[in-house]
Amino acid sequence: MSTEIANYSPFVKTKRGEARALKELDGRIKRAIIPMFDVLALNRGVVAEADVEKHLEKQVRMINLAWLEQGPCYVDLFDVHPNARAMNGVHPLEFVGALLGKSRIPFIPVAGLGRDVNYLVALRSLIANGSSAIAVRLEVEDLLLPVGLDSKIQKLLGQIGAEQLTLHILIDCRSLVGQDADKLKNVIMAALPALRLLKPSRLVLSASSMVADANGFKRNSVNRIRRDDLSLWLGVCHAGFTDVCFGDYGVIHPDYVDLDPRVIKPSAKIRYTTSSEWIFVKGFQWVKDTSQHHGLSVELSQCREFRGADSWGGDYIESAAAGRAKYGTLETWVTVDQNAHITLTSRQVERILFAARQTTISSPKVAAE
């Protein structure tokens, strides 16, 4: 697959719900994205090498479920504890890389300016074994001093033997909640000229404005959340940086925590993406069945923005509103929400960038629709 047409990178966790969301995407959407898989952190107390290995094998199975026989994807172990090791002291990155190699998934390993020496050594080993591209994931803190940023990245590439590889740069702003959007946009635009000096094959700007939980919403309510992550990217794009692709975390907050459902009883919900907002339909505490999703889906289907069966997720919502025999689990609804989100966003970003690249910087702003 040519990465030239991949204008969108959804950042997803290696959870079954999100993996299935990718699996159920239309083939055209799959060809138009390069997903970024964040390997899930170890559960608390997991330190034994055999248990670490078991955890990593599960995460690779989720990547296989999502992306087997597809195009390139990014894989990052940013959330895995730096001291974790698989059997015989093998670094988790090397272990995951070997398993993905057996599956013939063309993954692009992800580096970062703050990774420890053992992570860099593992990256160097992967690259020596045949990686054709490398991605560098930058946090907001990395962008604050743009002078010399290109030199820092070049030094990193030298340390891992990646100077000759195709370079991808992922700017990850994570949650925008509590951040000054205008200030952040200025920080990003000040750093982009330095990043362009590296002639990356692909530049991605990713962020999230999804709420961390539903606690701020009333039971049985319909709420709206602005897609400020999209607005941030649009501001950068409209300032002339039309070479910057879009990335986001979809309906999942970046700081996801794997809660024990035996202890925490979350509310049923649907998070439905529109061109500029999420419609967040909240039910009540979920215990064993999700039949309340019938009523939630009816509420959503009555919203003017509901698009019907425009995706696997949209079809599921439509059938839930009509009355299904079964409504699945909460994990099912992560799949539904994320699948509908990625489908809409991929098409939306494609339209925006096509229009923006046909205009000059002085042209009127491109509409988000």
Side-chain angles (χ1 to χ4, degrees):
M1 184 192 104
S2 169
T3 60
E4 292 181 2
I5 63 169
N7 293 317
Y8 174 40
S9 280
F11 282 43
V12 297
K13 307 293 184 184
T14 49
K15 291 283 289 179
R16 184 177 299 275
E18 294 196 73
R20 283 194 60 218
L22 289 172
K23 179 181 183 294
E24 299 294 348
L25 289 171
D26 177 80
R28 184 179 180 278
I29 301 297
K30 290 180 181 179
R31 291 188 293 272
I33 66 175
I34 302 181
M36 216 297 297
F37 291 102
D38 261 323
V39 172
L40 208 62
L42 297 164
N43 291 329
R44 184 177 298 178
V46 173
V47 294
E49 292 182 347
D51 293 333
V52 170
E53 199 163 288
K54 183 178 179 180
H55 171 84
L56 296 174
E57 287 171 343
K58 180 179 180 180
Q59 309 319 304
V60 172
R61 287 198 300 272
M62 293 303 101
I63 297 174
N64 286 338
L65 172 64
W67 213 241
L68 193 63
E69 298 182 351
Q70 301 301 322
C73 62
Y74 305 111
V75 177
D76 195 0
L77 276 71
F78 178 83
D79 291 325
V80 176
H81 196 283
N83 294 334
R85 293 294 180 271
M87 296 292 287
N88 300 314
V90 174
H91 193 280
L93 179 59
E94 290 187 78
F95 183 81
V96 167
L99 290 181
L100 290 173
K102 289 179 182 178
S103 301
R104 297 185 178 180
I105 289 182
F107 76 99
I108 300 170
V110 179
L113 295 179
R115 308 301 169 95
D116 65 49
V117 64
N118 292 317
Y119 198 98
L120 299 184
V121 169
L123 274 170
R124 190 175 184 92
S125 176
L126 281 182
I127 291 164
N129 287 329
S131 294
S132 60
I134 185 70
V136 176
R137 187 177 189 174
L138 300 174
E139 300 176 73
V140 173
E141 292 77 7
D142 298 323
L143 310 179
L144 296 178
L145 294 175
V147 176
L149 180 57
D150 56 321
S151 298
K152 290 180 182 178
I153 295 174
Q154 285 175 328
K155 181 180 178 181
L156 170 63
L157 297 177
Q159 289 174 321
I160 60 177
E163 306 99 313
Q164 304 304 316
L165 298 189
T166 300
L167 174 64
H168 298 228
I169 294 177
L170 314 177
I171 300 173
D172 184 10
C173 301
R174 298 187 72 83
S175 178
L176 297 180
V177 177
Q179 294 201 57
D180 184 322
D182 289 335
K183 182 178 179 180
L184 180 58
K185 184 180 75 171
N186 291 336
V187 167
I188 292 165
M189 291 196 298
L192 284 172
L195 297 176
R196 280 175 164 175
L197 294 174
L198 297 165
K199 295 182 171 54
S201 172
R202 197 161 181 266
L203 262 168
V204 178
L205 172 58
S206 179
S208 171
S209 53
M210 176 55 68
V211 295
D213 54 53
N215 292 340
F217 301 133
K218 294 181 180 179
R219 171 176 167 164
N220 296 328
S221 62
V222 178
N223 311 274
R224 291 176 182 267
I225 304 168
R226 293 195 314 271
R227 293 176 66 192
D228 291 335
D229 42 18
L230 180 66
S231 298
L232 173 66
W233 173 76
L234 280 169
V236 172
C237 179
H238 291 154
F241 294 98
T242 58
D243 55 331
V244 178
C245 302
F246 180 64
D248 67 7
Y249 288 82
V251 302
I252 305 298
H253 191 273
D255 300 326
Y256 168 85
V257 177
D258 199 4
L259 300 173
D260 186 343
R262 295 169 298 182
V263 179
I264 304 297
K265 302 296 183 184
S267 298
K269 54 188 172 291
I270 303 176
R271 295 152 292 190
Y272 187 75
T273 310
T274 75
S275 62
S276 60
E277 297 177 316
W278 285 289
I279 301 175
F280 196 116
V281 189
K282 179 181 177 179
F284 51 88
Q285 189 180 72
W286 178 85
V287 180
K288 287 186 177 180
D289 76 86
T290 56
S291 59
Q292 62 178 295
H293 274 91
H294 168 61
L296 301 182
S297 297
V298 171
E299 286 270 11
L300 175 60
S301 67
Q302 293 172 350
C303 295
R304 59 182 175 79
E305 297 96 338
F306 182 63
R307 298 177 299 279
D310 67 334
S311 61
W312 181 92
D315 179 71
Y316 200 99
I317 295 169
E318 194 168 71
S319 66
R324 299 174 59 91
K326 295 182 179 180
Y327 294 89
T329 65
L330 289 185
E331 180 181 272
T332 304
W333 286 89
V334 171
T335 300
V336 169
D337 297 353
Q338 196 75 305
N339 177 273
H341 171 86
I342 293 171
T343 300
L344 170 72
T345 303
S346 177
R347 293 169 176 164
Q348 185 181 21
V349 169
E350 182 180 24
R351 291 195 303 269
I352 292 168
L353 282 178
F354 177 80
R357 289 166 180 169
Q358 305 306 308
T359 65
T360 63
I361 295 174
S362 60
S363 296
K365 289 185 177 181
V366 180
E369 296 250 5

